[in-house]
């Protein structure tokens, strides 16, 4: 079995460890929950396990539909083996309905339909508040090339099609989400995570928020809501 050797990187909710195989890392999901670029942080018991199980299920589903990603297998309730990728310092966001920062930025009412879905790039830098950027910033500052940009957009929109269908089948609305990509041997893979920490999900009927907005807005029942999404999607959390 692959063992953790040393910590490579600590994020706000996860940690990455090197292993005896240089092509593989172990991703640990902690209970830490952060919002507003790290300004609000709390420990929520059980969140690490829910997110690890949730992510594994979604990544396997995406892989089966042709979205190559870094997930290999879970090794513990809150840990998974992933491919080591050279990550782009970029966040790819798709919005199917207006919520969060786009409402403030453009004065939109929450829940307005985005048709076609809106794609946005953000620069991954908490100290700058993850600013909105476009293709020109990415190429000018050497964060990725034009081909990489096209692949990231294509894979993000494909992921949206796949997951909108999956969530809809569980009477859930996938409002928006964020993806991060990286490269290995010249090929782009989906990396990081897909969990309720990085997407917005509403109940189709009641529009109840079931994602990290419960934490951001102090609505309570954060982990319970993540568990409810997982349960509806048939994800085994044990
Ligand atoms: P936003 O409304 O804050 O721009 O976020 C859009 C979606 O992307 C939302 O589901 C949260 C997710 N997201 C992150 O998880 N981390 C980030 O750093 C950003 C910018 C967005
Ligand atoms: N920027 C994201 C949020 O507000 C992630 C974070 O800051 O933890 O949720």
């Amino acid at each position: 079995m692959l063992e953790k050797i040393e910590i490579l990187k600590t994020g706000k909710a996860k940690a990455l460890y090197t292993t005896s195989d240089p092509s593989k890392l172990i991703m640990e999901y902690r209970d830490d929950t952060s919002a507003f670029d790290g300004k609000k942080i709390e420990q929520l018991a059980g969140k690490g396990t829910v997110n690890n199980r949730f992510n594994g299920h979604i990544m396997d589903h995406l892989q089966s539909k042709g979205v190559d990603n870094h997930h290999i297998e879970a090794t513990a309730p809150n840990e998974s083996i992933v491919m080591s990728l050279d990550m782009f310092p970029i966040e790819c966001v798709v919005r199917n309905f207006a919520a969060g920062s786009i409402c403030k930025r453009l004065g939109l009412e929450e829940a307005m339909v985005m048709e076609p879905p809106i794609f946005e790039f953000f620069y991954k830098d908490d100290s700058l508040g993850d600013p909105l950027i476009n293709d020109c910033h990415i190429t000018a500052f050497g964060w990725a090339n034009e081909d990489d940009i096209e692949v990231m957009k294509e894979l993000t929109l494909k992921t949206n099609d796949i997951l909108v269908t999956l969530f809809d089948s569980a009477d859930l609305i996938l409002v928006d989400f964020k993806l991060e990509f990286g490269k290995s041997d010249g090929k782009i893979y989906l990396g990081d995570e897909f969990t309720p920490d990085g997407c917005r999900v509403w109940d189709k009927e009641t529009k109840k928020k079931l994602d990290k907005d419960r934490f951001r807005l102090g609505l309570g029942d954060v982990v319970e809501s993540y568990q409810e999404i997982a349960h509806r999607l048939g994800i085994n959390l044990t």
Side-chain angles (χ1 to χ4, degrees):
M1 191 177 125
L2 209 59
E3 301 279 346
K4 290 191 267 189
I5 295 182
E6 62 177 356
I7 217 155
L8 179 68
K9 198 169 167 266
T10 311
K12 287 171 293 190
K14 303 192 293 298
L16 270 178
Y17 293 83
T18 57
T19 68
S20 47
D21 180 342
S23 70
K24 292 178 183 159
L25 302 173
I26 288 182
M27 188 169 259
E28 178 193 48
Y29 288 78
R30 302 195 314 265
D31 288 344
D32 299 284
T33 313
S34 100
F36 311 117
D37 303 311
K39 289 186 200 80
K40 174 172 177 174
I41 298 181
E42 274 172 39
Q43 291 265 319
L44 298 178
K47 197 201 63 149
T49 296
V50 178
N51 277 7
N52 183 48
R53 297 297 187 210
F54 199 103
N55 178 71
H57 183 94
I58 297 288
M59 290 289 177
D60 286 346
H61 182 71
L62 290 173
Q63 189 68 54
S64 76
K65 302 274 179 192
V67 178
D68 291 334
N69 62 71
H70 72 159
H71 181 254
I72 299 174
E73 61 175 337
T75 44
N78 70 331
E79 286 181 3
S80 289
I81 302 174
V82 297
M83 291 170 63
S84 174
L85 299 179
D86 194 8
M87 298 299 290
F88 298 104
I90 291 168
E91 305 187 328
C92 300
V93 168
V94 179
R95 303 177 188 275
N96 297 303
F97 295 87
S101 72
I102 199 170
C103 292
K104 252 197 233 160
R105 197 179 335 119
L106 299 178
L108 306 180
E109 211 163 297
E110 188 174 79
M112 183 183 163
V113 181
M114 307 285 100
E115 181 54 47
I118 288 183
F119 179 95
E120 293 172 340
F121 280 122
F122 292 86
Y123 177 48
K124 195 174 162 67
D125 186 327
D126 279 339
S127 66
L128 299 174
D130 292 341
L132 179 75
I133 53 170
N134 67 28
D135 305 27
C136 295
H137 302 94
I138 295 174
T139 48
F141 302 132
W143 294 327
N145 64 39
E146 279 174 24
D147 292 342
D148 299 333
I149 288 173
E150 280 322 301
V151 174
M152 284 190 274
K153 280 187 190 168
E154 201 182 296
L155 289 174
T156 304
L157 290 169
K158 180 171 177 175
T159 297
N160 189 45
D161 287 344
I162 297 166
L163 296 185
V164 162
T165 305
L166 180 74
F167 281 67
D168 183 68
S169 70
D171 289 332
L172 295 166
I173 299 173
L174 182 58
V175 174
D176 61 23
F177 62 88
K178 180 264 300 178
L179 300 180
E180 296 180 31
F181 293 89
K183 256 186 179 171
S184 170
D185 287 331
K187 182 180 150 97
I188 296 184
Y189 293 85
L190 171 60
D192 191 52
E193 67 178 66
F194 190 102
T195 70
D197 272 0
C199 65
R200 289 193 173 92
V201 177
W202 298 341
D203 176 78
K204 202 152 109 180
E205 195 78 6
T206 64
K207 308 291 186 293
K208 182 181 173 190
K209 298 180 199 300
L210 297 168
D211 54 77
K212 201 166 82 171
D213 268 349
R214 299 203 69 79
F215 176 70
R216 293 190 188 95
L217 306 172
L219 301 174
D221 291 336
V222 181
V223 176
E224 291 78 0
S225 299
Y226 289 21
Q227 284 164 339
E228 179 175 343
I229 307 174
H231 178 72
R232 287 213 217 168
L233 291 172
I235 300 173
N236 182 358
L237 295 176
T238 53

